[in-house]
Amino acid sequence: MRRGLQALPELDPPPGVWERSLAAADAPRPGPRRVWAAIGAAAAVTSVAIGYLATQPEHPVMPSSTVIVAEAANRPRVPFVALLEESAALEQLLAGMPRRPVMAGSTAATIAGLEDRIAFVDGQLAYAASFDVPQRQREALWTERVDLMNALVHVRYASAQQFVVER
Amino acid sequence: MPKPLPQADTAIVVRARNGDRNAHAELYTLYAPAVFTLARRLLASRALAEDALQETFVEVIRKIGTCRDEAVVGAWIKRIAINKCLAHLRSFWVSRRSPDGDEQIPFEHARCTPADEALALERALDTLPATARFVVWLHDVEGCTHKEIGELMGRTASFSKSQLARAHERLRALLEEPTTHESHSLCTVEPKIC
């Protein structure tokens, strides 16, 4: 099996990718954002997801060379493996939740904002994994991911309940 | 044994670190096939692989200055590519995206030539769940250990081992199923190579 996989042919990249990469690399980027207050708010209470998102820029951008250290204050430290397991469990929960076809614009914006933020944290996690960022910082990122996903579960659940009431 | 990466000339890497765009282009020419192949195999989607390739080289252009050892620039680039693919795996956008229409090639069991067998293996790989596909490719082709894979994916080494075992079982089952009269097309049509 392994030999067969190793023998699979190398593929030619599609044309035009280099030009697009160059253009994207040369495009002006926003400066570093102040995210400490936002990360602290997200970690504090999952039920204030809407309030948290109201303090965020519309299009969060991953800093190119820095890792956000999401040191949530006054929170008990959860074992690293437990964080990973909780994150995986929340992903499964979200995957199984029905998506409401129509919802209020504010709710849709909240959900989109949380998902954008989770994608941002995922980018930070990928960076942390490849550049040997200290364990404590990785734990903080995973903690934030769990908090954001908890918030997303709450908002999606509340939206689904509203749908049931309306029907 | 994983396929060896091409070795970039030290002078090219030094020029790239100094911001020489021609040197950046040379690195792209050298490593883009390996990166695109890696991304295509991991993501089972040509469109996502193209995104991952672009994202990888944007980061290479911006951060080549941080790569101090010219001898391992290829491995450094591949590591960036793996992380870009992992970000796609974790991304909610990927979980919601419908598959590319042109990627939905029905799996055929008929194999007549080594090229057909390779095609069958490619298709079987594409049908694996994303996590299993990542594990089997990173372990069997890229030479990553279970500990490394676990760390990359935010899981344990045991998780990686069990995913690998299941992936092998699934691939074997797909490739060992008997041929049928209806599934002769691999021998008679032009194989579609992504």
Side-chain angles (χ1 to χ4, degrees):
Chain A
M1 186 65 61
R2 188 184 289 196
R3 271 198 295 274
L5 290 168
Q6 290 174 358
L8 288 178
E10 195 168 72
L11 306 169
D12 289 326
V17 176
W18 171 242
E19 291 75 14
R20 290 198 298 276
S21 304
L22 208 53
D26 287 341
R29 283 174 288 156
R33 306 292 181 109
R34 290 184 177 274
V35 294
W36 289 95
I39 290 170
V45 182
T46 59
S47 62
V48 292
I50 293 172
Y52 158 69
L53 286 172
T55 67
Q56 299 308 297
E58 281 187 16
H59 303 287
V61 173
M62 177 163 56
S64 62
S65 60
T66 58
V67 172
I68 307 293
V69 178
E71 293 279 1
N74 301 322
R75 292 191 76 215
R77 193 170 168 184
V78 178
F80 189 64
V81 172
L83 282 172
L84 304 185
E85 286 170 353
E86 192 175 352
S87 177
L90 285 165
E91 279 187 35
Q92 275 200 312
L93 183 62
L94 281 164
M97 289 176 82
R99 285 195 167 262
R100 190 178 158 184
V102 178
M103 62 180 79
S106 58
T107 305
T110 300
I111 289 173
L114 282 168
E115 288 174 345
D116 280 351
R117 191 73 199 170
I118 292 167
F120 172 78
V121 170
D122 286 346
Q124 294 288 303
L125 281 166
Y127 176 92
S130 62
F131 291 102
D132 293 327
V133 168
Q135 178 79 348
R136 184 79 193 210
Q137 293 184 6
R138 293 210 303 275
E139 282 177 12
L141 284 168
W142 277 104
T143 301
E144 190 196 355
R145 189 177 203 268
V146 166
D147 288 342
L148 287 166
M149 291 182 72
N150 261 320
L152 186 57
V153 164
H154 276 74
V155 174
R156 289 265 303 270
Y157 180 74
S159 169
Q161 290 295 99
Q162 181 66 26
F163 183 59
V164 168
V165 166
E166 285 168 5
R167 288 181 74 191
Chain B
M1 192 74 178
K3 186 177 174 181
L5 280 170
Q7 184 65 35
D9 192 84
T10 304
I12 294 174
V13 181
V14 169
R15 280 169 37 220
R17 285 214 293 257
N18 291 330
D20 184 334
R21 277 287 181 260
N22 290 333
H24 292 155
E26 287 182 61
L27 287 178
Y28 178 87
T29 302
L30 203 51
Y31 293 112
V35 169
F36 181 70
T37 303
L38 168 74
R40 172 61 184 81
R41 300 295 180 217
L42 289 177
L43 298 170
S45 160
R46 189 177 174 81
L48 290 176
E50 206 170 311
D51 288 347
L53 174 63
Q54 180 177 326
E55 289 156 17
T56 297
F57 277 92
V58 169
E59 186 150 332
V60 167
I61 292 167
R62 288 177 176 165
K63 292 193 186 162
I64 186 72
T66 66
C67 179
R68 293 293 161 208
D69 187 351
E70 296 87 12
V72 296
V73 71
W76 178 78
I77 291 173
K78 239 189 178 178
R79 189 66 176 233
I80 292 173
I82 289 171
N83 283 310
K84 294 300 178 190
C85 293
L86 280 168
H88 277 279
L89 177 66
R90 289 192 190 113
S91 166
F92 282 114
W93 299 114
V94 169
S95 66
R96 285 198 299 268
R97 196 179 304 196
S98 55
D100 295 342
D102 64 351
E103 301 281 353
Q104 296 304 298
I105 306 163
F107 186 78
E108 301 285 356
H109 302 301
R111 293 188 297 281
C112 304
T113 66
D116 291 331
E117 292 200 359
L119 190 59
L121 181 54
E122 282 181 337
R123 291 177 178 176
L125 187 65
D126 283 351
T127 66
L128 291 181
T131 304
R133 192 171 56 245
F134 265 71
V135 171
V136 78
W137 191 263
L138 290 178
H139 183 270
D140 285 358
V141 181
E142 300 299 329
C144 297
T145 63
H146 287 298
K147 186 171 182 288
E148 286 169 340
I149 294 169
E151 180 76 17
L152 274 169
M153 300 186 77
R155 303 293 180 106
T156 59
S158 307
F159 172 83
S160 174
K161 284 178 195 166
S162 67
Q163 285 291 312
L164 182 70
R166 274 186 228 157
H168 282 164
E169 201 179 302
R170 173 82 183 130
L171 286 172
R172 260 184 239 112
L174 282 168
L175 296 169
E176 286 169 6
E177 282 186 30
T179 62
T180 62
H181 287 296
E182 291 76 26
S183 57
H184 63 276
S185 58
L186 271 186
C187 299
T188 57
V189 301
E190 199 64 31
K192 183 176 176 183
I193 307 292
C194 295

